[in-house]
Amino acid sequence: MLSLGSGGGKSAKPSFVSYVTPEEINSEKDTPKEEKHPDLLPGEVVFCSASTVLKLTQDELSQRGTFGTLLCTNFRVSFISDEETGEETAPLFKNKLYGENDIPLSCVDNIYGGYEDKRKLVTGSQVKNKYPSKIIIHCKDLRVFQFALTFCKEEDAKRIFQGIVHHCLEPKSLKNIFAFSFCENTAFPEMQMQQRTMMFDSAEDWAQDLKRTKGSCRLVTENANFGLSPNLPQYFIVPESVSEADMTLFQGKGLPIWCWSHHSGCALFKTSNLPLQQEDNVPQSYMEKMLTAVAHNYLYSVKTEDLSDTLPTVQDIQLSYSKFKQFFFIDSTTDFWVSDMKWFSSLDNCGWLDIIRQCLQKAMEVVECLEKENNNVLIMEDGGSDLCCVISSLAQLMLDSYYRTLQGFQSLVQKEWVAGGHNFLDRCNQLHLKDKENVSPVFLLFLECVWQLLQQYGPAFQFSETYLTVLSDSIHVPVFSTFLFNSQHHRASILRQADSSHSQRGTLNCPTVWDWSVQFDCKAQQLFINPLYAEKPKLDKSMRRPHRPKHQRQLSLPSATFKTPPKKGFFKDETDSLKKILRVKRISRWMLSPDSPQPSSTSREFYEAWQRKPLDYHGLLLPCLDGPAVRIWMQRYLRWIQEVQIFGGGLVTVLSKVSDLLDEVQELQRQLDRHSSSLTSNHQRPRPRPISAETDSRLSVLLSSSFPFTTLKNNWSYKPAIPTGLLQSLMNSGNLADTEDDDQESLVRA
Amino acid sequence: MEKSGSIDSLGSKRSSSRQPSVDSLSSASTSRSDRSAQAKPPSAMSSDSVATSTELSPELRVRKPACHVLRDSSKEEPQLLPNEIVQDMAKDVTYICPFIGPLRGTLTVTNYRLFFNCIDRDPAFVLDLPLGVVSRVEKIGGASSRGDVSYGLVCKDMRNLRFAHKQMDDTLRKSIFEVLMKFAFPVSNGLQIFSFEYGQVFPENGWKVYDALTEYKRQGIPNESWRITKVNDHYELCDTYPSTLVVPVNIPDEELKRVAAFRAKGRIPVLSWIHPESQATVTRCSQPMVGVNGKRSKEDEKYLQAIMDANAQSHKLFIFDARPSVNAAANKMKGGGYESEDAYQNAELVFLDIHNIHVMRESLRKLKDVVYPNIEESHWLSNLESTHWLEHIKLILAGALRIADKVESGKTSVVVHCSDGWDRTAQLTSLAMLMLDGYYRTIRGFEVLLEKEWLSFGHRFQLRIGHGDKNHTDADRSPVFIQFIDCVWQMTRQFPAAFEFNEYFLVTILDHLYSCLFGTFLCNSEQQRVKEEIPKKTVSLWSYINSQLEEFTNPLYVNYSNHVLFPVVSLRHLELWVGYYIRWNPRMRPQEPVHQRYKELLAKRAELQKRVEELQREVTNRSASSSSERAGSPTRSITPVQTFV
C-alpha cells in the first residue's frame, strides 16, 4: 500500500508549516507523538486521528489488511499505513492533492457502520456514544474503503468515527470549505493553460466566441456588476433586437441567451421559463417578443424546445444515478459475482443509460434544426441552467470541432456551465446539506454523454477518456472555484465577503479546475491527450481522404427540403426564405403548445442520412443511439474493482502503442527539422537514435485495463477472477436443457 | 534528383503499397467495415478493386463511397468464380430490404450464390450471398390480389431476406426460387456441394497448415512421459478421432482398446497440450460409461493415474466435466455419467455448468430475434439478457479460464470432457490453449488450433451446420463453433494487442463456415474427410487466407510470448459482438479507429524516416565533397513536412 501524496504539497509550497502550529494539532488529540502525518496541504488542519486502524482489503471475508493511522482533516479523511512503502514505486499518475488512501471530505458519498454482521447507513444525527467496529466509506469517485476500529483504543475509535461523520456528513458553511483556507495560504501563478481556456468572465471572451462563429448578436456588458439582474451572467449575448428594458423585466427570466451560431447564420439560444402567472398577458406577450427577436436573428424562423417537458427532471436524474452507482460499490467478491448474474437487466432498470440516450437524442434534434433546417433554436427549461446546459453544450460538441479540443472543451464548460450559471454548489451538494432536493449529478450526466461521443468517435476528440474521468473526480475535490458556486453573481458576492474579512492578504485566488498543475505533474497530464486524435490536416492534402462533393449524397435523403449546409457565407435562395417568413406566424402556436417530442423517425432519418456520408472527424458528429452503441463508462465505474481488471489487456495496451509511435513520429519530425536547418548551417549531427519500441511495448503488456488509476505494482497477479456461486441456477432451464445433448440417436429426427 | 524523389514519395507510396491495405489506410472506417461485412470470394483477390467492391455486403454497400464503380453495366451479373454457372436469372424481382425498403432489380442464381442487383439507385445496391448460408426458403402467403409471390430466406448468418416477384403468367415456368432451393440444398437434391467444383489455385496450399506430428513436436512430444500412438491409424480404435494420438508412455496400445470400451464412442483421454515448463497437460475425452450401476474400469482408472503421474509437479488431477451436474447425472440413465471420486484416487471432479447444444441453438435464435432487423432501443439490455447468449459465453470462458488457471497456476494436469467430447470439450480445450499458448494467437497458430482441436478431433461440422441440407429443423444443428469464435472475439477485445489476427479474420472464418466454397468445414471427422478425399478435391480456407495475410493481420499485435492471458469473464466485460451479429444493420457503424490511426502513423513514420535518411545522406555528401562551398545552395528546397499527428 502506498502512502498518500507525499511529494506533492511539500515540494510546491514549503510555507504551509507556519499556518498549522504544533499547538493547534496537539490540542486536537491525545497522543500526537506516535502518530504519523500526511504531508499536509497549505491550510490543512488535522481534526482528529486514531492509530492501529486496520484498513481491510476489498474482500470482506478475509479480514486481512494494513494497520495504520486514520485521520480526519479539514480537507480529507486519510489513512497512513504503518508499513514502509517503497518510494520507488510512486505511481505515474499521482494526484498532488490526495493519494490513494485519502478521501477528500466532499468526495464521501455514504458512510456505513459495520456492527458485527449488520451494516447500517450512518446519517449523522444518531452518532452519540456508539461507534461501529468497522467504518465503510463509499466515495463519489466509486472507491470503497473499509476501516476496522476493533484494534483501536476506544476513545480514539469513538473520536475518529464521530469526527469523520461530523465533517463528512454535517452541513457546513461555504466558508468552511477547504478551498478557502487552501487558497489563503497558497499563491497560484497565473497558468498558461488558463490563458488558452476562455473563462467567459470578460467581455472579450464572449466577443471572441461570437466572432469565431460569425454570429450577429449583441454583447451585453451592462451586467458587469450585476446591475441588470443577479440571475444573469456578467456578460452575455442576446439577439440584436432585445432592449435593455426587456432584460430587466423578469430578472433575466425568459431572456434568450445566445449559445452558439451556426455557419448558416441561425443560432442556438437558451432561456429559463417565465414564472407562470395566471390571467396575465404580460409574460406571454413578452415571450412572443423574445421569440420574434430570436427569429429575427436569421430568416425569421425559430423553433422552441421546452426541455422541462421532454427530458427527465433533475430529481429523475438523481434518482437514477443513485441506483446506478450502487452497482459499482462492490464490498466483496461474492457480492460481485452475485450481481454479475443480473448485470444487464439491473443496468436497464436503473435507467441511467436511457437518460444518457435521451439527452443525446435531444441534442441531436437541436442539431438537426440548426444543421438541416437552419432554424434558430431556443431551448428552455424552468431554471434554465441544468438540462439547457447539457443540451446546448452537447449540440455544440456535435457541431463544432473546436469544442472537441482540450482547450475548446474547457472553454465550452466555462461558457455554458460556469458562466451559464449552473448551480454547482447545490447540485453537487458541496455543503452536505440534509435537504437533498437540489442535489443532482447534471454535470456528470453531461460528461457521460461526452464520453459516449468520445468512445464512438475517438479520433474526433483531442482529450482522452482519462481526462473526462479525472474531471468527474475533480468535482468532489473541494479546491476548485469551478464547482463551488451557484452562479457568477454568487461567486462574486462570496469572494467579496471573503476579501473583506481577509483584506490584509489580498484577493482570494482559488484555482480553477483547468489549472491541472494543481493536481498533476506534466507527465501525468500527458495522459489527458487522446493519442487517436486526428488533428485537423492543414495543407497536406495528399494524405487526406479526398472530400467528395456533398450533393452527391443528397439524392438518398428523405426530406426534399434538406439541403446539406453549404459553405460558410452561403445564403439560401429566395423561395426558401419566404417559407421561413411564413413560419414566423406559427410561433405563437408553438408557444402555447410546446413541440411534442419529435417522432424519433425523423431524427432517425437525419442520422441515417448523415451516416451515409463519409465520416469527417472535424465535421458534424452524430451519436449512434442504438442499444449496443450506448455503453458503460468502464474506466470511471470499474477502475477500482479488482475482479474486472484485465491484466495485460484493455484498450490501454494499444493506446500506449499508438502513443509511442506518435512520439517516434514527432521525434523524427524534429530530426527532420534539425537536419534541414543543419543543411543551411552545414553542421554534422549525430545519427538519429535508433528507435526501440520493443521495450515500450513490453511495458504495455504489464498494464491493466484500469490504468492509470490502479497500477500493478509488484504483484503482477496471475490469479484470474473465477466466478463463484450458483451459476447454473440463473438459467431458466426449460425442456431443452434436459434434452440429452449431443446424442443424435436419442432424438426423434424431424 | 534526390529532392524530387523525396517529394514524390508521398504520392507514389500510395500506389506502390498496392492492394486493399491501401484502402483501409486511406478511406477510413468505411472500407474496413465493408470488408468485415462479408468475406469476398477469393476470385476477387487477384482482380482489381472494382471486382473487390462488388463482393461486399448489401446493406453496407449503400454507403460505400466508390459508387461509380457499380454503374458499370457489366455489374448486372456477378463476377463468377471458376466453375460457377448461372442457373437462372429473373428481372423485376423486389428485395424487401428491412433497412432501406423495397428495391426492384435483377436476381441471379448460380450454383454458388444468390446475386441481387438494383441499379435504379445511386449508389447501386447489390446483395451477394453464397447459397450455403441459406437455412431455409419459404413461400410466404399465396398469390395475393396484386399477383405477387413472396419468398422468405432464413439465413444461418443472422439475417432473413425477403423477395417478391410477379406471379408467372406461364405457370409451367419454374419460379427462380425453386431453382434457388435446388442449389441451396445440393445434398438434399443429389447434387454436389460447390466446394468440389470450385478449382481456384492459390499460392499457398492451406491443407498443409496442420500436420499433427509437427504440432506435437512443437510441444515437445514425444517425451519421456508421452508417446505418439498409431493405434488409430485406420480409425479402428475410434472413428471420430484423428489417426495420430498422444497417450501416456506406459500404457500399451492393447490397453488403450480397453479404455476405449469404457469411454463413450471410444473417445479415450488423449493429450491436447502440454505445458512447456511444468509438464502439466490438457487432455480430452468423452464421458465414462458408468451407467446407473456405477460401472468401473480398472484400465480407465489406471490410465487417468498415468496422466497424473506424467506430471511430476502435482499429485492431483482435475477432471472438468463441461456439463451441469444434473445433466451429467441424467446421462447415467443412458449408460454414461461421470467419474466418481471414489474410483479415481486423487482426482477432483468439477462441473462447468455449460448447457447442451439445444439450449445454445435456442439462445442464438432468441438473439437473432432481438438484433434483426431492428434493435429496440428502450430495453436493449434486458432483451439481450433474456437471450442468455452472453451468459453462455461467460460460462464457456469461465470454464476455459479455470482449466487454464489449474494448468498454469496450479501446475496440475486436467482432463476435460462433456458427453461425447466433440462440442463443449472442443470449446474448452481450444480456449484454454489459446489462453496458455501464445502460438495459437498467431494466424497460423490459430489455424492449427482449429485443425487440431475442432477438425481432427471430430467436431461434427456437417451435422452442426447442415451444409447443403434442407432439413433446417434438424436437432443436431447448433452454433457451437460460432460460440467458440465469439469467445475468441471476446478475448481479442480484452487483449487487443495479443492476437496476430483481426476481427475480419474471425468474421471470414464464420462466413466460410457456411459458404461451402472451401472444403475446410465439410464432413464430421477426419476419417470422413480422408474418405471423401476432401484435401484433394477441394480448396482449404487457409489457402485463401494465407495468400493474403495482410488483410487479416492486426497491426497492433505485440508478441506476448510467454504471457498467459486470463480474460475477465464477468458480464461487465463481455459484450455482444456487434461486428458479427449486427453487421447487417447499417446504423451500426463498425469502427477500428485504433488500427486506422496506427496504420496512418506507421505510414507517416516510414515516410519521415525516409526523408531523414535522405537528408542525412545529403548532409554527409555535402560535408564530404564540398565543404568549401556552402551557404544558400540553390538545389536545397526541402519543404518541411506537415505533421498532422
Side-chain angles (χ1 to χ4, degrees):
Chain A
M1 302 280 111
L2 277 161
S3 69
L4 42 129
S6 40
K10 181 170 56 189
S11 59
K13 302 96 191 171
S15 64
F16 74 90
V17 220
S18 55
Y19 298 104
V20 187
T21 62
E23 286 76 24
E24 278 176 60
I25 299 171
N26 285 349
S27 66
E28 296 288 335
K29 55 198 172 55
D30 303 344
T31 53
K33 298 240 158 53
E34 302 157 20
E35 275 150 16
K36 301 191 172 190
H37 275 269
D39 294 302
L40 296 176
L41 296 172
E44 188 174 2
V45 180
V46 177
F47 290 138
C48 51
S49 69
S51 54
T52 55
V53 171
L54 183 64
K55 175 176 174 274
L56 298 168
T57 52
Q58 217 182 59
D59 194 346
E60 69 182 6
L61 297 175
S62 74
Q63 290 287 315
R64 281 178 301 121
T66 325
F67 279 104
T69 304
L70 186 63
L71 25 77
C72 179
T73 76
N74 57 343
F75 169 55
R76 61 186 146 180
V77 173
S78 180
F79 176 81
I80 305 161
S81 169
D82 289 342
E83 284 172 21
E84 287 302 315
T85 53
E87 282 294 312
E88 73 278 7
T89 54
L92 163 74
F93 194 67
K94 201 180 66 175
N95 195 310
K96 293 187 199 170
L97 296 179
Y98 62 99
E100 65 172 354
N101 284 325
D102 293 340
I103 313 158
L105 297 182
S106 338
C107 187
V108 171
D109 192 46
N110 274 317
I111 299 176
Y112 297 88
Y115 304 87
E116 278 117 44
D117 289 342
K118 273 183 279 180
R119 206 175 80 170
K120 261 163 69 181
L121 179 68
V122 178
T123 53
S125 49
Q126 86 272 39
V127 186
K128 282 275 147 47
N129 286 316
K130 285 203 296 181
Y131 69 93
S133 58
K134 208 156 78 174
I135 309 178
I136 301 155
I137 302 180
H138 288 183
C139 304
K140 288 179 178 162
D141 60 10
L142 289 316
R143 288 180 296 170
V144 177
F145 288 91
Q146 297 191 34
F147 299 110
L149 301 178
T150 30
F151 306 95
C152 305
K153 277 186 254 163
E154 194 178 324
E155 273 306 296
D156 284 0
K158 204 185 286 178
R159 195 192 305 271
I160 192 75
F161 175 64
Q162 287 172 359
I164 289 174
V165 167
H166 178 82
H167 293 292
C168 297
L169 300 180
E170 291 300 318
K172 57 167 80 175
S173 76
L174 184 56
K175 268 173 254 160
N176 286 337
I177 284 193
F178 180 64
F180 293 94
S181 47
F182 180 60
C183 303
E184 263 176 42
N185 296 299
T186 322
F188 294 100
E190 280 293 315
M191 293 311 299
Q192 294 162 328
M193 204 127 171
Q194 242 165 304
Q195 283 163 4
R196 282 185 291 147
T197 297
M198 293 205 284
M199 302 304 286
F200 288 91
D201 54 1
S202 67
E204 292 74 43
D205 285 353
W206 286 98
Q208 195 188 325
D209 208 44
L210 186 64
K211 195 176 156 208
R212 192 182 64 81
T213 60
K214 298 193 168 70
S216 57
C217 295
R218 174 178 154 208
L219 174 62
V220 181
T221 56
E222 286 82 354
N223 203 37
N225 296 311
F226 305 102
L228 296 175
S229 163
N231 298 332
L232 288 166
Q234 275 181 292
Y235 305 95
F236 55 92
I237 294 169
V238 292
E240 289 279 10
S241 56
V242 173
S243 72
E244 198 165 316
D246 295 332
M247 293 177 210
T248 50
L249 193 54
F250 292 96
Q251 291 93 40
K253 283 190 190 296
L255 183 68
I257 308 279
W258 174 87
C259 299
W260 185 80
S261 282
H262 186 254
H263 55 69
S264 66
C266 62
L268 173 63
F269 298 85
K270 63 180 176 187
T271 188
S272 53
N273 284 341
L274 285 179
L276 282 176
Q277 285 169 3
Q278 59 281 60
E279 313 298 323
D280 188 351
N281 265 342
V282 181
Q284 202 188 318
S285 60
Y286 175 76
M287 212 54 226
E288 292 224 11
K289 190 172 168 194
M290 290 301 109
L291 278 175
T292 314
V294 170
H296 270 278
N297 178 62
Y298 176 72
L299 294 179
Y300 307 102
S301 70
V302 63
K303 197 133 193 170
T304 62
E305 183 70 49
D306 192 338
L307 304 177
S308 301
D309 289 347
T310 54
L311 287 178
T313 63
V314 289
Q315 288 80 16
D316 295 338
I317 293 167
Q318 165 67 9
L319 190 66
S320 171
Y321 182 70
S322 60
K323 285 186 204 155
F324 174 74
K325 72 183 176 197
Q326 289 304 329
F327 304 142
F328 306 98
F329 292 123
I330 303 292
D331 291 327
S332 71
T333 302
T334 328
D335 223 28
F336 176 84
W337 289 110
V338 168
S339 57
D340 204 46
M341 295 177 190
K342 287 283 161 202
W343 176 243
F344 290 120
S345 50
S346 320
L347 278 183
D348 227 5
N349 294 337
C350 79
W352 181 244
L353 289 178
D354 202 48
I355 290 178
I356 293 170
R357 185 178 282 122
Q358 285 181 55
C359 288
L360 286 165
Q361 172 72 38
K362 185 60 70 186
M364 199 149 79
E365 286 164 17
V366 168
V367 167
E368 186 181 1
C369 288
L370 292 162
E371 175 81 11
K372 179 172 149 187
E373 284 146 24
N374 295 161
N375 282 323
N376 295 301
V377 178
L378 177 63
I379 50 176
M380 36 219 274
E381 180 195 9
D382 289 343
S385 61
D386 289 303
L387 289 161
C388 271
C389 300
V390 175
I391 301 305
S392 74
S393 24
L394 284 177
Q396 290 173 66
L397 269 173
M398 293 178 194
L399 285 158
D400 190 338
S401 64
Y402 164 67
Y403 296 122
R404 296 178 219 140
T405 63
L406 185 71
Q407 297 304 329
F409 179 74
Q410 298 185 162
S411 304
L412 180 68
V413 174
Q414 282 297 129
K415 178 169 79 163
E416 292 300 325
W417 294 81
V418 180
H422 177 66
N423 296 352
F424 278 110
L425 184 74
D426 293 348
R427 294 289 180 244
C428 305
N429 200 16
Q430 309 281 22
L431 303 179
H432 317 311
L433 299 179
K434 300 278 175 191
D435 176 10
K436 304 231 163 111
E437 201 189 326
N438 287 321
V439 180
S440 184
V442 182
F443 185 64
L444 177 66
L445 172 64
F446 165 63
L447 295 182
E448 283 264 15
C449 295
V450 177
W451 182 85
Q452 300 292 340
L453 286 166
L454 175 69
Q455 60 100 13
Q456 289 188 17
Y457 305 106
F461 291 84
Q462 192 189 23
F463 49 86
S464 65
E465 171 182 46
T466 302
Y467 170 82
L468 288 177
T469 304
V470 167
L471 180 55
S472 75
D473 289 344
S474 305
I475 300 170
H476 308 293
V477 181
V479 163
F480 306 110
S481 59
T482 317
F483 306 117
L484 284 183
F485 305 103
N486 280 332
S487 65
Q488 282 187 326
H489 174 257
H490 183 227
R491 176 194 154 101
S493 58
I494 295 292
L495 289 184
R496 208 179 309 121
Q497 282 171 29
D499 279 352
S500 57
S501 54
H502 299 98
S503 51
Q504 71 278 17
R505 290 199 184 124
T507 36
L508 266 189
N509 183 18
C510 279
T512 80
V513 70
W514 317 126
D515 191 348
W516 291 109
S517 64
V518 173
Q519 293 189 79
F520 298 99
D521 61 23
C522 290
K523 195 136 192 272
Q525 283 184 49
Q526 278 170 12
L527 293 168
F528 293 171
I529 300 296
N530 173 12
L532 297 183
Y533 180 54
E535 208 165 286
K536 218 166 193 164
K538 282 160 198 153
L539 296 165
D540 203 0
K541 291 227 170 63
S542 52
M543 289 298 284
R544 200 181 168 190
R545 190 160 16 115
H547 217 75
R548 55 192 62 252
K550 283 181 176 167
H551 58 83
Q552 199 181 336
R553 307 247 139 233
Q554 277 172 30
L555 294 173
S556 55
L557 291 176
S559 147
T561 58
F562 186 114
K563 285 260 165 69
T564 316
K567 291 193 196 79
K568 293 183 185 188
F570 179 92
F571 287 96
K572 293 226 149 190
D573 55 56
E574 279 305 304
T575 51
D576 229 25
S577 55
L578 275 174
K579 227 187 291 173
K580 294 265 160 103
I581 291 166
L582 291 175
R583 276 192 206 168
V584 80
K585 292 199 169 150
R586 283 156 44 200
I587 289 171
S588 54
R589 187 173 57 81
W590 286 335
M591 262 309 293
L592 293 173
S593 61
D595 274 1
S596 55
Q598 290 195 331
S600 65
S601 66
T602 76
S603 57
R604 256 186 108 86
E605 284 170 9
F606 178 57
Y607 172 80
E608 280 165 13
W610 169 82
Q611 202 204 23
R612 281 195 283 271
K613 296 179 219 165
L615 179 59
D616 175 8
Y617 288 118
H618 299 285
L620 177 66
L621 285 190
L622 296 180
C624 177
L625 300 179
D626 286 14
V630 179
R631 294 154 179 272
I632 296 278
W633 185 353
M634 300 272 229
Q635 189 193 53
R636 176 174 155 79
Y637 293 104
L638 299 182
R639 60 191 149 148
W640 313 116
I641 303 173
Q642 187 74 27
E643 286 83 355
V644 290
Q645 284 195 41
I646 307 167
F647 291 102
L651 199 58
V652 63
T653 50
V654 289
L655 286 185
S656 64
K657 251 195 118 181
V658 174
S659 284
D660 292 345
L661 186 56
L662 190 61
D663 289 346
E664 280 179 44
V665 167
Q666 279 160 354
E667 172 59 26
L668 280 168
Q669 185 68 59
R670 278 190 291 275
Q671 279 178 20
L672 199 64
D673 295 345
R674 267 206 305 275
H675 279 299
S676 34
S677 61
S678 77
L679 266 185
T680 33
S681 58
N682 210 353
H683 273 297
Q684 270 284 25
R685 295 273 167 171
R687 295 233 9 126
R689 68 173 172 98
I691 292 145
S692 53
E694 259 323 280
T695 48
D696 291 355
S697 55
R698 276 284 93 80
L699 193 72
S700 72
V701 168
L702 293 170
L703 299 173
S704 100
S705 58
S706 300
F707 179 86
F709 294 96
T710 51
T711 41
L712 289 174
K713 306 199 190 100
N714 304 322
N715 53 338
W716 157 246
S717 157
Y718 269 95
K719 203 71 193 140
I722 290 173
T724 55
L726 318 138
L727 288 171
Q728 66 274 48
S729 69
L730 72 158
M731 228 76 81
N732 51 345
S733 10
N735 299 335
L736 284 175
D738 307 331
T739 316
E740 177 41 46
D741 42 85
D742 308 7
D743 210 8
Q744 58 171 341
E745 289 88 338
S746 69
L747 283 160
V748 187
R749 302 189 65 165
Chain B
M1 282 306 209
E2 289 197 349
K3 67 164 179 183
S4 70
S6 75
I7 286 161
D8 279 354
S9 68
L10 259 179
S12 59
K13 178 148 222 32
R14 290 152 63 79
S15 53
S16 66
S17 48
R18 85 216 145 228
Q19 283 201 340
S21 65
V22 168
D23 266 28
S24 64
L25 218 157
S26 54
S27 65
S29 54
T30 43
S31 86
R32 163 61 68 192
S33 67
D34 282 340
R35 286 193 287 115
S36 60
Q38 173 150 13
K40 12 183 212 288
S43 71
M45 190 195 74
S46 52
S47 56
D48 58 2
S49 67
V50 176
T52 310
S53 57
T54 58
E55 308 299 344
L56 298 162
S57 88
E59 275 80 29
L60 292 166
R61 163 126 307 276
V62 185
R63 57 168 209 270
K64 171 90 178 166
C67 50
H68 61 278
V69 165
L70 297 167
R71 295 229 189 83
D72 187 345
S73 57
S74 70
K75 293 290 154 252
E76 283 263 0
E77 286 176 32
Q79 282 251 323
L80 295 183
L81 299 172
N83 299 319
E84 185 182 359
I85 299 152
V86 173
Q87 305 293 335
D88 198 1
M89 194 187 246
K91 289 196 186 296
D92 290 332
V93 175
T94 306
Y95 166 55
I96 301 153
C97 174
F99 307 109
I100 305 174
L103 296 159
R104 186 164 273 245
T106 308
L107 182 68
T108 310
V109 171
T110 74
N111 50 348
Y112 169 65
R113 82 181 82 200
L114 173 158
F115 186 84
F116 174 81
N117 183 15
C118 162
I119 52 165
D120 302 343
R121 288 173 55 88
D122 178 30
F125 177 92
V126 173
L127 181 68
D128 183 348
L129 73 156
L131 293 177
V133 306
V134 178
S135 171
R136 78 183 202 237
V137 181
E138 52 188 18
K139 201 169 173 178
I140 301 167
S144 69
S145 53
R146 282 184 282 127
D148 277 1
V149 209
S150 179
Y151 288 90
L153 271 60
V154 178
C155 297
K156 295 170 182 174
D157 62 355
M158 303 296 283
R159 56 182 160 163
N160 298 331
L161 307 171
R162 236 184 114 180
F163 293 92
H165 66 74
K166 285 258 178 295
Q167 182 79 53
M168 293 296 156
D169 294 333
D170 178 3
T171 44
L172 290 177
R173 196 179 183 284
K174 266 194 196 165
S175 160
I176 188 167
F177 290 96
E178 287 166 57
V179 178
L180 185 146
M181 260 187 271
K182 185 172 154 200
F183 288 94
F185 309 116
V187 172
S188 308
N189 291 296
L191 296 170
Q192 209 167 32
I193 285 182
F194 184 71
S195 316
F196 292 97
E197 288 162 53
Y198 173 60
Q200 181 83 45
V201 178
F202 289 95
E204 192 180 313
N205 182 359
W207 293 118
K208 298 226 163 91
V209 160
Y210 176 66
D211 171 64
L213 290 175
T214 316
E215 165 58 12
Y216 287 122
K217 196 173 165 210
R218 187 190 68 84
Q219 295 189 18
I221 302 264
N223 63 12
E224 69 276 11
S225 310
W226 295 88
R227 69 182 179 99
I228 290 169
T229 173
K230 288 281 165 193
V231 70
N232 203 36
D233 226 8
H234 302 288
Y235 309 102
E236 282 158 345
L237 180 79
C238 171
D239 60 357
T240 56
Y241 259 8
S243 58
T244 307
L245 297 173
V246 175
V247 295
V249 125
N250 53 354
I251 306 287
D253 285 354
E254 271 318 300
E255 264 180 64
L256 294 180
K257 287 176 187 159
R258 285 195 289 276
V259 175
F262 188 64
R263 290 280 164 178
K265 314 266 187 327
R267 294 170 69 92
I268 60 168
V270 290
L271 180 135
S272 277
W273 190 77
I274 184 163
H275 195 286
E277 281 146 31
S278 71
Q279 305 285 298
T281 54
V282 178
T283 45
R284 60 181 289 173
C285 57
S286 61
Q287 63 182 338
M289 301 308 281
V290 174
V292 269
N293 299 323
K295 221 167 67 188
R296 289 175 61 166
S297 157
K298 278 271 166 298
E299 290 80 9
D300 195 69
E301 288 160 26
K302 183 184 164 198
Y303 191 88
L304 290 201
Q305 184 67 38
I307 291 173
M308 192 177 80
D309 291 344
N311 169 20
Q313 302 259 356
S314 173
H315 299 292
K316 222 173 168 186
L317 182 71
F318 272 88
I319 301 171
F320 286 100
D321 188 326
R323 301 165 292 185
S325 58
V326 186
N327 298 44
N331 260 288
K332 288 186 176 175
M333 303 302 290
K334 302 193 188 73
Y338 52 87
E339 294 83 355
S340 82
E341 287 176 13
D342 296 338
Y344 296 84
Q345 297 284 310
N346 304 318
E348 191 175 326
L349 184 69
V350 179
F351 293 104
L352 295 177
D353 299 318
I354 302 169
H355 280 275
N356 65 30
I357 59 166
H358 313 293
V359 174
M360 302 309 185
R361 181 179 58 238
E362 183 60 12
S363 175
L364 187 65
R365 190 195 60 73
K366 284 186 192 154
L367 182 66
K368 186 172 176 178
D369 286 349
V370 170
V371 302
Y372 190 89
N374 288 310
I375 305 159
E376 206 188 308
E377 259 174 35
S378 49
H379 295 293
W380 159 247
L381 288 174
S382 301
N383 291 340
L384 181 63
E385 185 175 277
S386 70
T387 70
H388 297 295
W389 182 255
L390 286 176
E391 261 167 69
H392 295 309
I393 297 286
K394 168 182 163 176
L395 285 173
I396 294 164
L397 274 171
L401 182 69
R402 295 178 74 162
I403 292 167
D405 179 45
K406 276 285 167 281
V407 172
E408 174 68 22
S409 319
K411 298 184 164 67
T412 311
S413 293
V414 299
V415 174
V416 185
H417 71 73
C418 46
S419 296
D420 292 317
W422 50 45
D423 291 312
R424 287 168 277 197
T425 301
Q427 291 176 331
L428 290 168
T429 56
S430 51
L431 284 170
M433 287 157 75
L434 207 56
M435 294 172 194
L436 289 163
D437 190 340
Y439 170 68
Y440 299 120
R441 307 196 283 259
T442 64
I443 290 181
R444 281 167 199 278
F446 191 75
E447 291 166 0
V448 166
L449 184 70
L450 292 191
E451 286 284 348
K452 180 177 185 300
E453 289 302 302
W454 289 85
L455 292 157
S456 83
F457 277 100
H459 173 70
R460 302 195 296 171
F461 279 101
Q462 176 64 45
L463 273 172
R464 295 290 177 253
I465 306 302
H467 296 304
D469 187 346
K470 70 174 181 189
N471 183 14
H472 61 84
T473 56
D474 190 339
D476 269 321
R477 293 197 185 176
S478 187
V480 175
F481 185 70
I482 299 157
Q483 270 186 322
F484 162 69
I485 296 289
D486 192 330
C487 290
V488 175
W489 179 82
Q490 303 284 351
M491 284 180 67
T492 64
R493 286 287 290 185
Q494 296 193 14
F495 300 95
F499 292 83
E500 193 194 11
F501 48 84
N502 57 18
E503 182 182 31
Y504 180 50
F505 176 74
L506 297 178
V507 172
T508 303
I509 289 173
L510 287 186
D511 278 339
H512 290 296
L513 173 65
Y514 306 120
S515 75
C516 290
L517 185 59
F518 300 103
T520 301
F521 297 114
L522 300 183
C523 302
N524 290 319
S525 64
E526 186 178 294
Q527 185 197 28
Q528 280 183 19
R529 267 173 228 114
V530 170
K531 193 171 148 235
E532 300 280 335
E533 297 180 289
I534 298 284
K536 205 182 280 177
K537 292 180 177 167
T538 71
V539 180
S540 163
L541 172 59
W542 317 132
S543 305
Y544 164 57
I545 284 179
N546 294 351
S547 298
Q548 43 176 350
L549 283 175
E550 205 185 330
E551 283 284 284
F552 303 102
T553 305
N554 172 11
L556 292 155
Y557 174 59
V558 177
N559 188 355
Y560 274 48
S561 58
N562 295 323
H563 278 289
V564 175
L565 304 187
F566 288 133
V568 170
V569 299
S570 158
L571 286 177
R572 290 152 168 99
H573 263 312
L574 300 183
E575 53 183 304
L576 187 70
W577 186 6
V578 170
Y580 181 72
Y581 301 108
I582 320 189
R583 60 182 163 152
W584 309 120
N585 187 333
R587 287 173 63 80
M588 303 305 296
R589 192 199 282 264
Q591 40 173 310
E592 287 175 42
V594 184
H595 291 199
Q596 176 78 25
R597 173 77 165 149
Y598 195 73
K599 282 186 172 174
E600 275 170 13
L601 285 173
L602 282 178
K604 187 81 191 167
R605 182 178 70 178
E607 178 211 326
L608 285 172
Q609 267 167 346
K610 198 175 156 200
R611 286 184 171 214
V612 168
E613 275 161 31
E614 276 166 5
L615 273 170
Q616 244 157 11
R617 223 177 301 137
E618 197 169 341
V619 170
T620 329
N621 287 345
R622 279 155 161 258
S623 57
S625 64
S626 57
S627 54
S628 53
E629 56 157 289
R630 43 182 67 171
S633 164
T635 52
R636 201 190 56 76
S637 62
I638 280 83
T639 39
V641 183
Q642 282 293 329
T643 343
F644 62 98
V645 289

